[in-house]
Amino acid sequence: MASDPTKPILRLHPSAPQPRAPGRQAVMRGPQPNSLADQNQRFGAQFRRLTEVLQRDPAGLALRADPAALAPERLLVFEVKGSVAAFARAINNVPGLELIDEEELPGDEDKAPVAYLLVPDLRALLQIESLWRTWVAGRDLPQGFTPWRDVFACLRDLRVWGPADRVQPLDANVLAEEIEGRADDDLVPLEIELVFRASTEAGAINEVTVTNAIRLSGGQLLSRARLDDIAYHAVLAELPVAAIRTVIERGPGSLAGVEPIMHIRPQSVMTEIDANDLLPAAPAPAAAAIAADPILALLDGVPVAGHPLLQPHLNVEDHFGLEPGALVAQRVHGSAMASLIVHGDRNRPEPPLPRRVHCIPVLGDNDRFPLDRLIIDLIYQAVMRMRAGDQPSAPHVIIANISLGNVRRPFYGQLSPWARLLDRLAYRFGILFLVSAGNITSQFPVSAFANRVAFEDANADQRARGVINAVAALVADRRLLSPSETINGLTVGARNLDWVPTAERALARVNVNPYSDLDTVNPSSALGPGFAGSVKPDILMPGAREHLRVVASDESITVAPAGPSRGAGLKVAAPPRPGLENAEGFTNGTSAATALASRTAHRIHDALETTYGLEFLQLTNTQRAVLIKALLVHPARWPNAAAGLVKQLLGPFGQGQASRQKDNIRRFLGYGVYDSDDAVACAVDRATFWCVGSLGRERSVDVLVPIPAALGGQARAHSVSATLAWFTPVVPGRKSYRAVRMKLLDPAEIAGLGVSADAWQPDGNQTNRGTVFTRVWSGAQAAVVAEGMSLRLKIQREPDPASPVDELVPFGLAVTLAMPGEVRLYDQVRDRVQARPAQRAAP
């Protein structure tokens, strides 16, 4: 049934902490080896040379999946054939060597999996060489070291860190496109990340070395940033095209050969949005008193702060002086995002938020990243101004909207500095960052249709099948955009949904809705998975019914996402045009979806504040943030039709393939879709509970969930669901990036409730890889419910995979019991968990 705002979410309390339950060790499979003769010919000489190259600083050995915060002059780069799981297992069997967290290793789908071996210890290196020579000679390896045979057999390439690693192929391709046809002395911006040195003096020396190299190449320095929090040190520079060309070629005499440089990349470029089909703005809805103390921040473009839909609702702090350079007519992005956060889709009238939104512009002229600043530095400074120091400008902000992304940094396994920054700030300040997955707006072929007429005339099912197959064929090129791989934040994809009135849908018919009857992700929405194979995007929120336009026809059609319109878009405040002072327009995509997710997060906070007053407000920032995180994901479910179609089309098929089938589904759908009202309130036949707590190392708590008598004895559909969320501390260079892990154990009593693990959800291994753990149990068998019965949910903190984290880590938990049509359910559990009278906050 529909959510009822008079039926608030109910509070539960955790038990006292106790020791965690023991777990089991995962088993890994090895890949197919290359031949012995081929490996000897390719790598024998390289291993002999490694001693000479790397013996200059003996100290220890560690294997990592990401070179961030390591010393690259000591790195061996291992390109592995197939999976690197066997490689990791072998490293773990060598006494005294550190092993990367296994879950962070590259997956089988990566075209060239890479691991990095930090080798400052000569004795360890000689042991590797000795094992290598033994294996090449065809002799048996010493007892306990047999797995090394798989290591040596599965290498694709091995080298010392150098120019090929500083300039990645994707970045080289972007730079090549940027300089094509330009004069040799034209200046092109570059982001140059330096090897981070913990010593500020050593870092300063490195920066001088790099700055001198830039000047010797005919370039100039534009900006710099050093962020110790995430071990990030970078400069923004301009280089002439002639020098860029040598960088692309990875010449040793170019910047690619300068040792203090970690990475060279093209300057970040943000995803753009449109606000089309402008029309006069309808009157703003009447608003109650608006609280001036914001809990939500919008880091985006400069909004049209004087727009009547926005003016009473925004605090704008122009920390970086970007407002004067942003023409009012170009302030599309910030205005649209602010409008969606405050009002939602204006096609669907809703009350505005009761608090102001704190806006810090980080986009400049033409809604682009400033040309003379590093976007990572701007985001860092913005958050520090809000939350740090003696006089923070927005000390109570616990939700931050990042509807931004770098189209030049798709996620291919290694976390971007921007994602690492959000993860660190989330844990440090207790901020839930909501980040757009990114839009892939390039055209793509749809081989199922020979021409436009066939595409238009196909029925809804045929069109959906053709487009899903087309997107799946390009999935490797439709990855998340930085910083949406964030571990602590939530990533939002665009759902094929809007509230355009039926009479206006005809206005979009010049293009084709590929999913007219299917509730699924939009064609342009970037796809998962995330870091360490985590579920991404986390949720899908409405991003308008995205249409496709046919741009070419040959033996098949090529399509591209169409822009938003009155017939297929979300209605938002827009910048003025001549003769149209107060305008509204239409937008779409993952940026818009993220703004709606932020609005929902705010509404969750409002609902809890209204019901529990100071009892809720006096929770720590982090406790409230992780609780909102749990409640925001908790209602999400895979739409059965969309999930079934992906499974049917993409498989894989055969016995034992359920996990891989779910992997394909979650790549498209994340945890799923839902009605935002379900995250805010309960219904007569649905009760949701909330709980917060903290866990120390290897501790657990129990949460008792009251089971209503109405659930028992009825053979009808019902479900139990639970979602756990937390922020993990992150330390650059740590062996395991996700330093704290938690999980929910399957309750022993769950079968007695007539339910079992729902088939339409990510499996336990997939949902256990991020900082959200969610499970759904469903069924239609009659439950056995005793008087006063409770379901015991155990939350536990798993052993820290790297060096121990001593601090208590807060968590948020959401639990729902539902039996559609059973109108006694909510009242029965409410009577057992009767909330104390709310302690109202002072006005």
Side-chain angles (χ1 to χ4, degrees), residues 96-113:
L97 305 192
E98 282 192 286
L99 173 64
I100 184 182
D101 180 8
E102 293 171 9
E103 74 173 18
E104 296 179 8
L105 293 171
D108 291 342
E109 66 181 13
D110 289 301
K111 297 175 182 176

Side-chain angles (χ1 to χ4, degrees), residues 131-345:
L131 290 171
W132 166 256
R133 287 192 295 270
T134 300
W135 183 80
V136 167
R139 300 193 300 271
D140 291 338
L141 297 181
Q143 185 175 4
F145 295 102
T146 303
W148 275 104
R149 136 187 101 192
D150 292 329
V151 174
F152 298 135
C154 298
L155 293 178
R156 186 190 305 274
D157 192 14
L158 183 154
R159 63 178 180 276
V160 178
W161 180 276
D165 304 287
R166 297 187 182 102
V167 186
Q168 298 290 316
L170 179 64
D171 298 321
N173 292 340
V174 172
L175 288 173
E177 291 176 7
E178 190 156 352
I179 68 173
E180 186 175 1
R182 298 177 64 172
D184 281 358
D185 56 355
D186 279 359
L187 293 176
V188 175
L190 287 176
E191 293 180 8
I192 301 172
E193 188 175 346
L194 280 63
V195 175
F196 184 82
R197 301 298 188 197
S199 161
T200 54
E201 293 81 5
I205 292 171
N206 273 3
E207 187 173 319
V208 168
T209 300
V210 172
T211 302
N212 288 338
I214 289 168
R215 289 179 178 141
L216 287 173
S217 298
Q220 60 183 0
L221 189 70
L222 297 177
S223 182
R224 64 170 299 279
R226 177 185 164 97
L227 308 180
D228 289 10
D229 263 358
I230 59 167
Y232 174 76
H233 190 179
V235 298
L236 179 64
E238 287 183 323
L239 243 65
V241 166
I244 296 285
R245 197 171 291 115
T246 64
V247 167
I248 295 170
E249 295 165 353
R250 287 110 164 157
S254 71
L255 281 184
V258 177
E259 281 208 2
I261 290 177
M262 192 75 172
H263 293 296
I264 301 174
R265 296 191 171 100
Q267 187 175 21
S268 301
V269 172
M270 77 156 285
T271 53
E272 298 180 355
I273 67 163
D274 297 317
N276 296 334
D277 283 0
L278 298 192
L279 67 164
I290 302 170
D293 196 11
I295 61 163
L296 188 153
L298 173 63
L299 278 57
D300 210 278
V302 179
V304 182
H307 196 293
L309 291 173
L310 304 179
Q311 189 276 326
H313 301 281
L314 306 183
N315 289 335
V316 180
E317 284 198 284
D318 187 21
H319 291 321
F320 309 114
L322 298 175
E323 187 170 7
L327 298 177
V328 174
Q330 295 175 350
R331 299 178 185 181
V332 175
H333 207 287
S335 301
M337 297 307 105
S339 178
L340 286 165
I341 290 170
V342 171
H343 300 288
D345 180 1

Side-chain angles (χ1 to χ4, degrees), residues 32 81 168 195 203 239 258 613 641 689 738 789 809:
Q32 182 67 32
K81 177 185 177 183
Q168 298 290 316
V195 175
L239 243 65
V258 177
F689 307 87
R738 189 171 63 122
M789 178 180 174
V809 177

Side-chain angles (χ1 to χ4, degrees), residues 654-676:
Q655 190 173 3
Q657 298 291 349
S659 178
R660 294 179 64 192
Q661 291 167 355
K662 291 181 177 184
D663 191 55
N664 280 327
I665 297 169
R666 72 179 178 126
R667 184 190 298 274
F668 283 79
L669 301 177
Y671 285 115
V673 304
Y674 60 90
D675 185 328
S676 291

